[in-house]
Amino acid sequence: MAVLWSGRFQKELDRQVNDFNSSISFDGRMFAQDIQGSMAHAAMLSACGIISQADADTMIQGLTSILEDLQSGALQLDMDCEDIHTFVEGELTNRIGEVGKRLHTARSRNDQVALDLRLFLRDEVDGIRGQLKELIQVLLTRASENVHTILPGYTHLQRAQPISFAHHLMAYVQMFLRDLDRLADCRRRMNLSPLGSCALAGTTYPTDREMTARSLGFDGPTVNSIDGVSDRDFAVELAAGLSTVMMHLSRFSEEIILWCSWEFKFVELDDAYSTGSSIMPQKKNPDIAELVRGKTGRVYGSLVTLLTMLKGLPLAYNKDMQEDKEAIFDCVDTVRQCLLVFTPMLRTMKILPDNMRAAAAKGFINATDCADYLTQKGLPFRTAYKTVGELVAHCVRESLTLETLPLEAYRSYSDLFEEDIYQEICLEACMEKRLSQGGAAPASVLCQIQLSHEALERM
Ligand code: ARG
């Protein structure tokens, strides 16, 4: 059992306590960040005259060789160690002898773990942002192919008004653009270095926190040493941002699942992105979308784990905080896995415009336009609304649609109706007239696509 404390204790740690206390099984994945942080620390110690240049060089060489061996698999983590920090320091001392024991000067595992986690999550945020950009690109491409593809827009899951499939996809583009922005914001606050906060109170050594912060790519050091080691807001913010990503993916998944059903049949997933049943030969199931929807809960769970772990914690470091890692790691891993399959599923998804058009034709989704027709002829909208309501009821009774209702029938409800009503309520025309900013008309949607491309460029 490798622990970093000695001197104060007369007995070895109980085996089960060691296992309970140890975090190397999950913080081991931060080995590269731990080593990177140690190298920056060693360089700073020598630049500030706290250790010799020769010792720093030896340390950095030793750390480099450990990193290489871990990456190549020549060196395995010792699962008996308390954590990754213990392992790296122990291995360094094995390799370079006594000099290794100077590395922990003016440092604590408390600032070390806070540093490692920020470095690790910073890379994860960048990776996830890259994946979100890819997803947005795919949506923009699919949208630009479908600005004329008529789809019934829904409220209350009831057919409401004609939109295009592109218009619908562009709603998701806005959500994912906001997610990108939220994650950028989270990264900005995350990008401060806690290194040099030490255990909690800073140090008596003449350290240079600006130097380590800069060399590790941070915007600067954290301001208060107690906060430096106690703060996990960056993990909470990331989990919250990723919960929102999952909420968006889950809503989208729900729609894809509906669209794949025979009741809708608006899309068909590529065979490579759907699954079958072990008993029902006819089945083609949208498992990916269902799993994305299902995994949303565990990402929310991570957020609640983190918030609950921190609530009520006195300053500064408490061992409870070791629980942050499994939660936030699961959170980032889950989102990355979901995006990895969700984006190509969308890219390869077949769109069935005829079915969308047929569904749009059946639901009186041009009723608002019919009322607008009367309004343009001078009737107050509320009165027009009532007249069209009666027309719809008539059509339902007679199994007709507004398109097939004869002009005489129209005129029996209002003599403002003339032959041109049929052009006015044609679904294509209804969609094309929604030229308001952000509206469903192809011209408006093309403008949304252009604006979104520009927004993506800036991200
Ligand atoms: N494994 C610990 C964690 O993840 C590292 C920090 C330990 N610090 C301490 N004072 N015991 O939080």
Side-chain angles (χ1 to χ4, degrees):
M1 282 177 273
V3 294
L4 284 174
W5 62 80
S6 58
R8 169 85 167 74
F9 292 82
Q10 256 113 59
K11 275 196 195 169
E12 266 239 315
L13 192 62
D14 176 83
R15 174 86 248 166
Q16 258 125 38
V17 171
N18 185 65
D19 292 346
F20 184 68
N21 198 44
S22 166
S23 55
I24 194 161
S25 63
F26 48 87
D27 66 22
R29 64 190 285 185
M30 304 193 299
F31 72 82
Q33 289 76 14
D34 195 74
I35 292 170
Q36 196 193 355
S38 288
M39 288 176 172
H41 183 64
M44 181 279 291
L45 289 177
S46 86
C48 295
I50 300 166
I51 62 170
S52 69
Q53 177 73 52
D55 282 356
D57 291 346
T58 309
M59 284 175 193
I60 290 168
Q61 265 166 31
L63 289 164
T64 307
S65 72
I66 295 172
L67 181 61
E68 283 166 2
D69 291 352
L70 283 171
Q71 275 162 347
S72 72
L75 174 66
Q76 303 290 317
L77 297 178
D78 173 3
M79 288 301 156
D80 268 348
C81 272
E82 188 185 345
D83 51 32
I84 188 61
H85 328 295
T86 309
F87 174 79
V88 172
E89 192 184 321
E91 182 62 26
L92 183 66
T93 304
N94 288 344
R95 292 190 182 199
I96 65 170
E98 285 297 299
V99 174
K101 298 186 180 173
R102 294 186 192 278
L103 176 63
H104 213 52
T105 314
R107 189 178 70 168
S108 155
R109 279 183 301 161
N110 297 350
D111 58 345
Q112 206 177 343
V113 72
L115 172 75
D116 293 2
L117 194 57
R118 284 185 192 240
L119 287 172
F120 186 88
L121 294 180
R122 192 173 70 179
D123 286 348
E124 292 298 314
V125 172
D126 292 343
I128 292 171
R129 290 189 80 247
Q131 286 184 292
L132 278 173
K133 286 183 186 179
E134 248 181 84
L135 170 61
I136 294 171
Q137 285 289 6
V138 167
L139 286 172
L140 288 171
T141 305
R142 305 246 51 186
S144 49
E145 301 157 355
N146 284 286
V147 286
H148 295 286
T149 309
I150 295 213
L151 177 81
Y154 294 82
T155 64
H156 312 269
L157 206 58
Q158 303 286 322
R159 292 169 193 158
Q161 288 181 341
I163 57 170
S164 67
F165 188 59
H167 192 211
H168 198 94
L169 293 182
M170 288 308 294
Y172 283 105
V173 168
Q174 306 319 302
M175 298 177 225
F176 294 124
L177 282 172
R178 286 196 296 277
D179 286 333
L180 261 185
D181 197 33
R182 247 187 295 277
L183 292 179
D185 199 38
C186 164
R187 188 195 196 281
R188 183 175 60 76
R189 265 187 299 278
M190 181 187 288
N191 203 30
L192 293 174
S193 169
L195 187 60
S197 298
C198 306
L200 79 160
T203 179
T204 54
Y205 292 97
T207 53
D208 184 349
R209 294 191 57 209
E210 291 283 349
M211 178 181 168
T212 45
R214 266 196 313 278
S215 73
L216 292 167
F218 288 104
D219 294 331
T222 54
V223 169
N224 176 288
S225 62
I226 302 172
D227 182 54
V229 292
S230 314
D231 170 35
R232 294 293 183 274
D233 291 5
F234 57 92
V236 171
E237 282 189 44
L238 179 56
L242 294 180
S243 292
T244 312
V245 170
M246 289 304 293
M247 180 268 285
H248 293 149
L249 287 175
S250 185
R251 291 181 83 167
F252 206 165
S253 294
E254 169 67 14
E255 297 205 302
I256 290 168
I257 294 161
L258 286 173
W259 293 342
C260 284
S261 71
W262 282 105
E263 284 69 15
F264 282 80
K265 260 291 166 258
F266 289 175
V267 299
E268 189 178 337
L269 296 178
D270 191 83
D271 281 359
Y273 293 91
S274 11
T275 49
S277 153
S278 59
I279 170 168
M280 297 167 282
Q282 84 284 12
K283 290 300 283 294
K284 188 169 175 189
N285 295 330
D287 280 26
I288 294 179
E290 291 171 46
L291 265 177
V292 169
R293 188 178 60 182
K295 284 177 188 292
T296 303
R298 64 194 283 169
V299 174
Y300 292 1
S302 298
L303 172 62
V304 174
T305 299
L306 289 168
L307 286 169
T308 312
M309 179 273 284
L310 288 167
K311 135 182 211 307
L313 275 196
L315 301 180
Y317 178 83
N318 299 270
K319 188 77 171 192
D320 313 45
M321 293 165 83
Q322 182 165 288
E323 289 290 310
D324 60 1
K325 280 171 280 300
E326 283 163 295
I328 195 67
F329 291 165
D330 189 66
C331 191
V332 294
D333 292 346
T334 303
V335 173
R336 296 199 76 152
Q337 284 170 5
C338 287
L339 287 169
L340 201 62
V341 288
F342 193 86
T343 302
M345 178 185 75
L346 278 185
R347 186 187 296 123
T348 54
M349 182 172 83
K350 194 165 139 204
I351 289 148
L352 304 172
D354 294 345
N355 294 349
M356 293 181 183
R357 181 69 179 75
K362 283 182 203 145
F364 299 100
I365 66 177
N366 42 7
T368 314
D369 300 82
C370 189
D372 288 341
Y373 172 89
L374 294 176
T375 307
Q376 273 155 31
K377 302 217 165 181
L379 217 57
F381 179 77
R382 190 50 63 212
T383 315
Y385 170 98
K386 184 156 178 282
T387 305
V388 176
E390 287 160 8
L391 273 174
V392 169
H394 178 110
C395 288
V396 172
R397 274 197 308 275
E398 308 282 315
S399 298
L400 293 168
T401 63
L402 291 175
E403 289 91 327
T404 54
L405 185 72
L407 187 58
E408 312 84 76
Y410 269 106
R411 292 185 63 88
S412 70
Y413 287 87
S414 166
D415 53 15
L416 292 174
F417 282 117
E418 286 169 74
E419 192 59 50
D420 61 350
I421 179 61
Y422 297 105
Q423 290 133 46
E424 286 301 300
I425 59 162
C426 144
L427 294 183
E428 283 70 17
C430 296
M431 180 184 73
E432 269 154 32
K433 281 183 299 180
R434 285 185 161 69
L435 280 159
S436 59
Q437 208 171 32
S444 169
V445 172
L446 285 172
C447 175
Q448 295 168 40
I449 294 175
Q450 179 58 30
L451 287 173
S452 303
H453 269 298
E454 286 165 21
L456 190 59
E457 288 291 302
R458 288 193 298 272
M459 293 277 183

